[in-house]
Amino acid sequence: MAYVPGVALLAALVVGCSAGSDSNANGADSKAGSPTVTPAPPGKYLTLPAPCRAVPRGTLKDLLPGAAGLPGDQQEKVFRGSASVTYDTDRKVGCSWKSDAPNATRSLSIDFERVVSYDPAVSDDDRADTVYAKKEKAAGLSSSATPGPDAEKNTGTPGEKEKGKAADAEKPEDPEDPADDAAASADPSSSSSPSGGAAGEGSAGDSSVGPEDALPSRVLDNLGDAAFLHDLPTRAGSTAQQRTVSVVFRTSNVVVTVRYAEQPALVTQVPDSKELQEKAQALARKLAETLSE
């Protein structure tokens, strides 16, 4: 019985130390009010479509008119397409088609790139927007750049049209003005050599303008989250002029590139820019709808 009070005292000391330890852990060691880092949301798309089956047969017949007259086996080979070589089909896939006709050769290619951000503070969509912006800049376009005198024809930005006209009216003509040279090189409808193509394409040889009513390269509206069109006419040596229209768009964390080109059989012939642009845009919109399903 003489030891009972001692046991009780020891128990009280243990309880007191435990309480003090808990208070210290919840007080001094805790950082009340510190912000909680929430990882950025993942992109909408976790996979990519089969590229060589992404374009319907009827659409291919319209885009590759020479294929319709080929024998059965050759026609099937053209419509089957050729898949791009890739080492990660979850991240990047593509397919291309080519058709030779008596009057012209037409080619089509599509590429899908699924962008993943490995930075928890940056979302997949934001990272994909950076990838898209680089392609837009490489094409000589930029929807975020300060609009200049060419804003009306390149971007169609409301409110800048009259400013551009006023700037052109006040600016004296100077054939050696470097700003004029830069604008001409960025505009594929100019007679100067155009700047690099969409998604890293370049031009070879002397360029040649197409029909006077050819629409220039520009940022597009109502296609994915962001989009642009790049029209690149080129002529190399004595060969016929080739025209390549590229439409690039981003939807969530996927960046899609459509390239549609024509090379006439005769040097005197010029590809129809309007037709190529309309068909490339129509296909891009179909692909965007397919991704959204």
Side-chain angles (χ1 to χ4, degrees), residues 11-287:
L13 290 174
V14 171
V15 171
C17 291
S18 299
S21 177
D22 292 341
S23 175
N24 183 55
N26 295 328
D29 292 343
S30 64
K31 298 180 180 179
S34 59
T36 301
V37 178
T38 303
K44 177 180 178 180
Y45 302 102
L46 302 179
T47 60
L48 291 172
C52 292
R53 295 200 298 269
V55 184
R57 175 67 66 96
T59 303
L60 287 174
K61 287 183 177 180
D62 180 49
L63 296 174
L64 307 170
L70 294 174
D73 292 344
Q74 295 182 32
Q75 186 177 133
E76 283 300 318
K77 184 178 180 180
V78 170
F79 289 144
R80 190 182 308 124
S82 178
S84 303
V85 177
T86 179
Y87 299 98
D88 188 352
T89 55
D90 285 334
R91 295 290 301 278
K92 193 170 185 178
V93 295
C95 191
S96 60
W97 299 262
K98 184 177 180 181
S99 173
D100 295 319
N103 58 339
T105 295
R106 293 203 183 188
S107 59
L108 168 71
S109 70
I110 59 174
D111 292 292
F112 297 89
E113 180 178 358
R114 186 175 69 90
V115 181
V116 177
S117 172
Y118 294 101
D119 184 348
V122 179
S123 69
D124 292 347
D125 284 19
D126 288 342
R127 175 58 183 157
D129 190 49
T130 300
V131 172
Y132 165 83
K134 290 181 179 179
K135 295 179 181 292
E136 188 180 86
K137 184 178 180 181
L141 303 168
S142 180
S143 56
S144 60
T146 302
D150 293 331
E152 177 180 354
K153 67 179 180 179
N154 280 342
T155 64
T157 305
E160 295 298 334
K161 298 181 181 180
E162 296 305 323
K163 294 181 182 179
K165 292 178 181 178
D168 287 340
E170 296 175 1
K171 181 179 176 182
E173 293 185 3
D174 184 356
E176 296 183 2
D177 188 347
D180 288 339
D181 294 339
S185 65
D187 183 0
S189 65
S190 167
S191 59
S192 301
S193 176
S195 61
E201 289 183 355
S203 60
D206 296 329
S207 65
S208 175
V209 296
E212 298 239 342
D213 60 349
L215 295 174
S217 301
R218 60 198 180 278
V219 174
L220 300 175
D221 296 326
N222 303 319
L223 176 57
D225 297 315
F228 71 87
L229 180 148
H230 190 261
D231 192 329
L232 180 64
T234 58
R235 186 190 296 276
S238 60
T239 61
Q241 174 178 293
Q242 174 174 311
R243 196 171 203 108
T244 302
V245 172
S246 298
V247 176
V248 181
F249 70 91
R250 177 184 74 83
T251 175
S252 185
N253 61 317
V254 170
V255 178
V256 182
T257 301
V258 175
R259 295 185 188 89
Y260 187 41
E262 178 183 353
Q263 181 169 335
L266 300 178
V267 178
T268 55
Q269 292 179 329
V270 177
D272 187 338
S273 173
K274 183 178 180 181
E275 179 193 3
L276 294 176
Q277 289 193 22
E278 288 179 349
K279 290 187 175 182
Q281 288 186 77
L283 175 57
R285 296 186 189 283
K286 286 183 180 180
L287 295 176

